[in-house]
């Protein structure tokens, strides 16, 4: 009986406790968990990719293990639980979230902890709710078997196998006129000539078509066509966009680089590496700096850069992340900017890791040597100059360098004799008191102006002057004994100018200065700045104050001094901050063989010591002075840098030199909010692509370019399935009008899925395994039977495959804006095939309200120099579209444009018929026809041949001849430009 009673009590206890457990579980799921999700997960969950303080609150083990402060929850003891302290805001150092929870929410959490903190979440969450990597584009890239017996082109084998499965047959091959037109437009973006068309149609060789493919691929026209596709993809244009839509005069070099790389068939992995980090991978190939134009291809918000720099930098990097991952990997990583990607396995931490890659660069003009030989010389002389400035004896005292020092000593012969100039008049333009001292020097005192210009009129007993010497002298009356008057004894000489006034001359003659040297240069403030014509640079002598210094200005040619000649020296000191000269004197020399170097005093002493008796320290002192001078001489002889609009650790824009000594710190931003920075994020890429590294293991410290190089290596890795599928799909897209995946920039779950996944995988592997050669892929596609099919209408496909995804026929495509314009120029006989160089502006400009000018496309001279060049060479203004190109769906390059849009509207028809470009070239083609033939029917035939690449039928000839006789030949030209046979590629 007692046993029955015990078993009954146990059963009751189990029923009650089970009920209590169920109640607690319901309480957690309905009351506690929603609070945690709403207020805590954004900083402490796997879903957000954020575990601030190493604490996660999205599963039981997370709060039990705790973070850097210890266990977050002590079940049954809310007063000892850090989480309860944090939400109650009783500790100023522990208040979370920032906005305090309501009293009701705090009571719920407190009750939960007090009752034992029951938490049914025992499974560790994934990195995100949608963290499933089981998606076609993320699968490892494996080459599938080609269907059939191997006798077919692989492209044909895959497509035919699918058609057979769908009980469909492919279309017959198109006629030869259609094929050459299709191929030439695809590979060149131009019409074939009537001569080439006729020759191809008559070519009976079995390999005539294959030979045509090769000829077109080997033409420079190929690079021009396919570069346009890439420039669309990376939204390249010649102006900034946004409110201050300013012109980029050096952007064109990147365009020329892309054309060249396509023509050279550069391996795709190399193309990636050059554009992301040419400066890292190819440091000695300075000419490849142009590739970094990729980093500057997108828009630039000049207004935001000035008024909201932090927000600007964040959004500018966002655009670069979007561009890079969209163009190379067909991935929308930017969708994880404010939260983990809603559809793809991309965490917010991944996104900010990508931002960190670009944290050390800024947009602007990047200077470089376009000639590799010049670049090597510049590196050599800059290295020698740096060694001289650092007085690095191990580098300075090499056999080669000592030989240069010895040669200099031989040519110097003896020290030049300096004759003081007799200062007749000296004045300050800003009110300082100038007084001559007993030694002939001039002392500035009294009023201390912010800026200063001193003008000295002097004479000399010399009959010839070859150099002028300026001594800036110490004086007890100056701060720190000078020689400058500013608080720290420094000075800034902005410009040194010399004029000669012959007797009775009404105006002075400017005397050119060949070079300047000084006994000491402040870092970044060298004496060359005093003769560079730039009022923003100057010569300084800090921190070597309290002692005198001197500078020597060597004239380009000896100045003959007639009796009565006056020399006028102007010393401009415009930097501000009272950085003005305190005491100085002037002298001149007539030394015939100058090699005048303003040597430091200690180096002058060395010259008095016989070479054989000089110590290594003395040799290094003299070598540093002489070799610095020699390096500066040689650097001056080199051609100036050229520039490309790009992005780099050093770039010049409207804000001056943008320079980052180290990359900026990137923190994960909660909800993308700049005011809510969390943990620092290291540079990296996507976590979803195992075995590729999600975060880059870079040494500490590392160069800024190493980050970009790491991303380039990640993208170019043969194991990266996104990269190789992406470019293979793009090539297919431009040949067929639609990719195997019809969303070329989005291979995620919100994008399309491949119509032929095995074919896409095979093409990606084929491209990857054939050195990333796009031309190899073109050959495979263009030589396939599928590509050569007719595009003729088939009733059996209308319902079965209305979008032609199965490819039982070829798709018909309209000429895009560029090919239409270029084809009109071809037909008029005026197309100029000159390659490269600055873009041609198809507009005139007038000042706008702010930086953005007004563009007048209607005032452009359609016959001006460059007006007949291909469209790839026109200036594309991001925010002010060309009306003709805009009507034909030329993209808005403020956005990425992986695919051109298609529209058909009455406005478009009106533009094609009446735009001034069309009217102008209708007249030009009519004139060409009249020159070629004397009779109207024959002229009409020529017009049809030039545009339709065939003879007109008798009915066409009669109707068009009648039209020409009634309304003029120009009307016929306008009409053929608007026909489907001209506008569409079959």
């Amino acid at each position: 009986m007692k046993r029955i009673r015990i078993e009954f009590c146990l059963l009751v206890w189990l029923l009650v406790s089970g009920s209590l457990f169920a109640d607690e579980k319901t309480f957690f799921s309905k009351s506690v968990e929603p609070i945690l999700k709403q207020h805590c997960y954004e900083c402490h969950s796997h879903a957000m990719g954020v575990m601030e303080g190493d604490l996660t609150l999205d599963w039981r083990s997370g709060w039990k293990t705790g973070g850097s402060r210890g266990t977050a929850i002590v079940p049954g003891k809310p007063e000892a639980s850090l989480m309860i302290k944090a939400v109650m805001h009783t500790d100023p150092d522990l208040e979370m979230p920032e906005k305090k929870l309501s009293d009701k929410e705090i009571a719920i959490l407190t009750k939960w902890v007090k009752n034992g903190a029951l938490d049914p979440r025992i499974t560790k969450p994934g990195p995100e709710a949608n963290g499933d990597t089981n998606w076609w584009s993320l699968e490892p890239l494996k080459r599938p078997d080609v269907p059939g017996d191997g006798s077919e082109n692989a492209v044909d084998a895959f497509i035919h196998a699918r058609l057979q499965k769908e009980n469909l047959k492919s279309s017959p091959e198109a006629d030869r006129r259609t094929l050459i037109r299709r191929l030439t437009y695809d590979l060149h973006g131009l019409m074939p000539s009537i001569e080439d068309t006729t020759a191809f149609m008559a070519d009976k060789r079995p390999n005539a078509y294959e030979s045509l493919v090769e000829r077109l691929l080997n033409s420079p026209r190929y690079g021009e066509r396919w570069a346009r596709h890439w420039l669309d993809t990376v939204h390249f244009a010649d102006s900034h966009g946004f409110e201050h839509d300013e012109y980029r005069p050096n952007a064109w070099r990147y365009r020329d680089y892309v054309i060249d790389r396509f023509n050279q068939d550069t391996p795709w992995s190399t193309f990636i590496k050059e554009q992301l980090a040419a400066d890292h991978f190819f440091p000695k190939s300075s000419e490849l700096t142009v590739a970094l134009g990729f980093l500057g291809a997108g828009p630039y918000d000049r207004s935001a850069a000035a008024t909201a720099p932090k927000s600007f930098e964040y959004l500018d990097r966002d655009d670069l992340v979007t561009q890079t991952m969209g163009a190379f990997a067909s991935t929308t990583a930017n969708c994880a900017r404010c939260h983990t990607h809603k559809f793809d396995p991309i965490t917010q931490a991944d996104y900010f890791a990508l931002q960190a890659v670009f944290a050390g660069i800024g947009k602007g003009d990047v200077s470089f040597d376009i000639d590799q030989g010049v670049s090597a010389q510049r590196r050599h002389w800059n290295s020698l100059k740096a060694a001289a400035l650092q007085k690095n004896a191990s580098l300075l005292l090499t056999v080669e360098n000592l030989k240069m020092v010895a040669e200099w000593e031989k040519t110097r012969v003896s020290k030049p004799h300096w004759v003081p100039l007799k200062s007749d008049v000296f004045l300050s333009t800003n009110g300082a008191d100038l007084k001559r001292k007993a030694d002939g020097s001039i002392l500035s005192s009294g009023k201390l102006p912010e800026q200063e210009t001193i003008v000295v009129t002097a004479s000399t007993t010399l009959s010839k002057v070859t150099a002028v010497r300026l001594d800036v002298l110490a004086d007890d009356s100056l701060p720190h004994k000078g020689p400058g008057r500013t608080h720290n004894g420094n000075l800034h000489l902005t410009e040194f100018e010399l004029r000669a006034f012959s007797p009775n001359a009404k105006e002075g003659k400017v005397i050119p200065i060949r070079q300047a040297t000084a006994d000491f240069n402040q870092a970044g403030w060298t004496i060359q700045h005093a003769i560079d014509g730039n009022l923003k640079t100057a010569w300084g002598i800090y921190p070597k104050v309290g002692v005198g210094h001197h500078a020597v200005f060597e004239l380009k040619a000896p100045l003959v001094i007639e009796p009565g000649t006056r020399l006028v020296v102007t010393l401009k000191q415009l930097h501000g901050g009272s950085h003005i000269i305190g005491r100085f004197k002037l002298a001149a020399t007539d030394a015939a063989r100058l090699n005048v170097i303003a040597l430091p005093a200690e180096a002058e002493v060395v010259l008095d010591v016989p070479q054989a008796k000089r110590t290594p320290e003395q040799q290094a002192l003299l070598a540093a002075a002489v070799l610095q001078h020699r390096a500066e001489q040689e650097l001056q002889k080199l051609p100036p840098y050229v520039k490309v609009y790009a992005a780099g650790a050093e770039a010049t824009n409207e804000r001056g030199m943008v320079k980052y000594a180290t990359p900026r710190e990137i923190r994960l931003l909660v909800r993308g909010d700049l005011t809510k920075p969390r943990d620092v994020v290291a540079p990296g890429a996507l976590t979803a692509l195992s075995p590729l590294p999600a975060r880059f293991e870079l040494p500490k410290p590392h160069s800024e370019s190493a980050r970009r190089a790491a991303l380039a290596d990640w993208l170019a890795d043969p194991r990266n399935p996104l990269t190789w599928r992406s470019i293979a799909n793009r090539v297919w897209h431009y040949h067929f009008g639609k990719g195997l995946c019809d969303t070329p920039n989005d291979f995620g779950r919100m994008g399309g899925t491949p119509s032929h996944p095995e074919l896409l995988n095979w093409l990606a592997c084929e491209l990857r395994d054939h050195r990333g050669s796009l031309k190899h892929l073109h050959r495979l596609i263009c030589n396939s039977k599928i590509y050569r099919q007719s595009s003729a209408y088939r009733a059996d496909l209308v319902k079965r495959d209305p979008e032609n995804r199965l490819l039982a026929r070829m798709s018909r495509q309209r000429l895009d804006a560029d090919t239409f314009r270029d084809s009109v120029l071809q037909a008029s006989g005026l197309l100029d095939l000159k390659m490269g160089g600055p873009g041609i502006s198809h507009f005139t400009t007038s000042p706008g309200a702010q930086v953005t000018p007004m563009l007048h496309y209607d005032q452009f001279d359609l016959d001006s120099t460059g007006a007949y060049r291909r469209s790839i060479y026109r200036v594309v203004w991001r925010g002010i579209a060309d009306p003709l190109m805009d009507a034909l769906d030329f993209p808005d390059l403020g956005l990425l444009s992986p695919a051109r849009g298609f529209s058909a509207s009455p406005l478009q028809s009106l533009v094609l018929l009446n735009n001034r470009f069309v009217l102008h070239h209708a007249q030009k083609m009519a004139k060409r026809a009249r020159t070629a033939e004397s009779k109207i029917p024959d002229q009409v035939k020529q017009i049809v041949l030039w545009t339709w690449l065939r003879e007109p039928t008798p009915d066409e000839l009669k109707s068009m001849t009648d039209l020409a006789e009634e309304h003029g030949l120009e009307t016929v030209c306008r009409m053929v430009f608007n026909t489907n046979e001209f506008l569409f590629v079959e």
Side-chain angles (χ1 to χ4, degrees), residues 596-897:
V596 177
I597 302 177
L599 292 174
E602 57 267 30
E604 291 278 8
V605 172
V606 175
L607 285 171
D608 294 330
V609 180
Q611 290 186 12
K613 294 185 178 181
R614 293 173 188 167
T615 66
E617 292 77 13
Q618 289 174 322
Q619 286 182 314
L621 273 174
L622 181 61
V626 173
L627 295 175
Q628 180 183 344
H629 172 66
R630 175 64 185 277
E632 289 170 350
Q633 279 186 317
E634 296 298 332
L635 287 169
Q636 286 178 358
K637 294 177 186 177
L638 297 176
Y641 283 120
V642 298
K643 298 177 180 179
V644 61
Y645 191 88
E650 293 186 12
T652 305
N653 58 30
E654 79 288 345
R655 293 176 287 163
M657 172 66 79
V658 178
K659 188 173 182 178
Y660 300 101
T662 57
R664 289 153 287 185
E665 185 178 75
I666 298 299
R667 292 179 176 272
L668 190 145
L669 303 179
V670 176
R671 301 294 180 189
D673 189 338
L674 284 167
T675 65
K676 295 182 178 180
R678 298 302 183 193
D679 295 343
V680 174
V681 182
L686 306 183
T687 54
L689 288 188
S690 178
L692 298 179
R695 300 295 176 265
F696 304 143
E697 294 182 5
L698 299 172
K700 293 182 180 181
H702 58 265
S703 65
E704 175 279 322
S705 63
R707 298 178 170 212
R708 292 181 278 115
L711 178 59
D713 280 331
W714 186 88
L715 287 165
D717 194 299
R719 298 169 298 171
N720 191 319
L722 290 169
T723 301
W724 302 102
R725 285 186 178 115
S726 175
I727 183 56
N729 189 66
R730 285 192 201 283
V731 173
W732 188 276
H733 165 83
Y734 289 118
H735 279 304
F736 290 91
K738 187 175 289 186
L740 291 168
C741 172
D742 60 2
T743 52
N745 262 30
D746 185 2
F747 281 2
R749 287 180 172 84
M750 288 299 288
T753 54
S755 57
H756 299 75
E758 296 86 1
L759 173 57
L760 180 55
N761 285 343
W762 189 90
L763 290 171
C765 291
E766 185 72 6
L767 176 64
R768 178 196 64 189
D769 298 343
H770 282 77
R771 55 176 289 279
S773 167
L774 295 192
K775 288 187 177 182
H776 175 71
L777 215 57
H778 290 309
R779 290 185 186 96
L780 282 167
I781 292 171
C782 293
N783 283 312
S784 69
K785 292 180 180 179
I786 293 301
Y787 179 82
R788 293 157 70 166
Q789 289 180 109
S790 168
S791 63
Y793 169 83
R794 283 175 52 180
D796 61 322
L797 296 177
V798 173
K799 290 185 178 180
R800 294 284 305 279
D801 188 19
E803 295 183 2
N804 197 29
R805 297 302 305 279
L806 298 176
L807 295 168
R809 61 180 179 85
M810 191 59 175
S811 294
R812 192 186 199 207
Q813 298 184 62
R814 192 183 67 191
L815 301 185
D816 60 33
D818 307 76
T819 53
F820 172 80
R821 181 182 172 276
D822 293 354
S823 296
V824 170
L825 286 169
Q826 271 185 290
S828 65
L830 296 174
L831 182 65
D832 178 0
L833 293 177
K834 177 184 175 182
M835 295 184 69
I840 307 300
S841 298
H842 292 181
F843 48 79
T844 61
T845 62
S846 61
Q850 296 180 341
V851 174
T852 307
M854 296 182 70
L855 270 54
H856 308 287
Y857 289 97
D858 58 342
Q859 296 178 15
F860 173 62
D861 182 356
L862 293 167
D863 292 316
S864 61
T865 303
Y868 304 150
R869 294 185 66 193
R870 290 198 69 178
S871 299
I872 184 101
Y873 298 113
R874 74 183 182 95
V875 169
V876 177
W877 208 278
R878 211 179 293 269
I880 310 173
D882 182 321
L884 173 65
M885 307 298 275
D886 189 44
L888 291 171
D889 302 314
F890 188 86
D892 172 5
L893 293 176
L895 306 170
L896 300 179
S897 301

Side-chain angles (χ1 to χ4, degrees), residues 539-581:
W539 174 49
I541 49 83
Y542 192 81
K544 210 165 184 180
V545 296
V547 294
H549 296 285
H550 65 280
V552 174
F553 300 90
E554 185 181 344
L555 310 187
K556 278 193 175 179
L559 173 63
V560 177
I561 304 296
E562 301 176 31
T565 297
R566 293 288 181 269
L567 298 178
V568 177
V569 174
T570 304
L571 305 175
K572 295 182 178 180
Q573 302 143 75
L574 307 178
H575 180 67
S578 299
H579 285 77
I580 65 177
I581 297 171

